[in-house]
Amino acid sequence: MNVVKSLKVILAFAVLCIITGFIWWKIHGENHLETSREAQIRTNMASLVTIEDGYFEEYGEYTDDFEELGYVPEGNQKTKFFLDKEEIPPQFRASISEKDLPFVQKDDYQILAIYTDLAGNATFWKFKKGGKLEQIEILQK
């Protein structure tokens, strides 16, 4: 009888732990995913900026050619980086204001990053030379 009672207590405790864990995840879990996503974007963006600035030091200008830069992003890439507005897929291009589009000039650049989740929802980030990474708002269609 004591064994059955002990098993019931253990089972009740396990169910309580699972429920508590699920509630914690619903409250805090999505923020951790977003923080992780932003950290990955920041890391890859910092890498790209470092490579772009190194290219400038060597050649006296910036380039919009990833192959020429030798840039390969790290990690699971749900984020695409753009140096040229013409490379942005059409389904996203209409959602981005002119001031947020990527560009590369001889002595200036702006990088655009588009993160797409599994449901197809996109968030947009930009980095302008000398600035900071910032999330940008999409235009209403």
Side-chain angles (χ1 to χ4, degrees), residues 31-44:
N31 287 339
H32 289 289
L33 290 174
E34 187 147 332
T35 301
S36 174
R37 174 177 56 221
E38 187 172 338
Q40 183 184 32
I41 293 168
R42 285 184 187 282
T43 299
N44 284 315

Side-chain angles (χ1 to χ4, degrees), residues 25-82:
W25 178 80
K26 286 305 266 180
I27 294 170
H28 302 289
E30 292 181 13
N31 287 339
H32 289 289
L33 290 174
E34 187 147 332
T35 301
S36 174
R37 174 177 56 221
E38 187 172 338
Q40 183 184 32
I41 293 168
R42 285 184 187 282
T43 299
N44 284 315
M45 186 71 79
S47 175
L48 180 54
V49 166
T50 300
I51 292 169
E52 188 74 76
D53 288 343
Y55 186 92
F56 183 83
E57 288 296 316
E58 188 169 337
Y59 297 103
E61 63 183 11
Y62 295 106
T63 182
D64 62 0
D65 186 339
F66 285 111
E67 193 172 305
E68 195 170 333
L69 287 170
Y71 175 72
V72 178
E74 297 177 14
N76 181 5
Q77 286 309 302
K78 294 179 183 175
T79 305
K80 300 285 186 212
F81 293 88
F82 299 92

Side-chain angles (χ1 to χ4, degrees), residues 3-25:
V3 172
V4 172
K5 190 174 183 180
S6 294
L7 288 175
K8 285 182 181 180
V9 169
I10 291 171
L11 182 61
F13 182 70
V15 169
L16 180 63
C17 288
I18 291 169
I19 292 171
T20 303
F22 179 75
I23 291 170
W24 184 91
W25 178 80

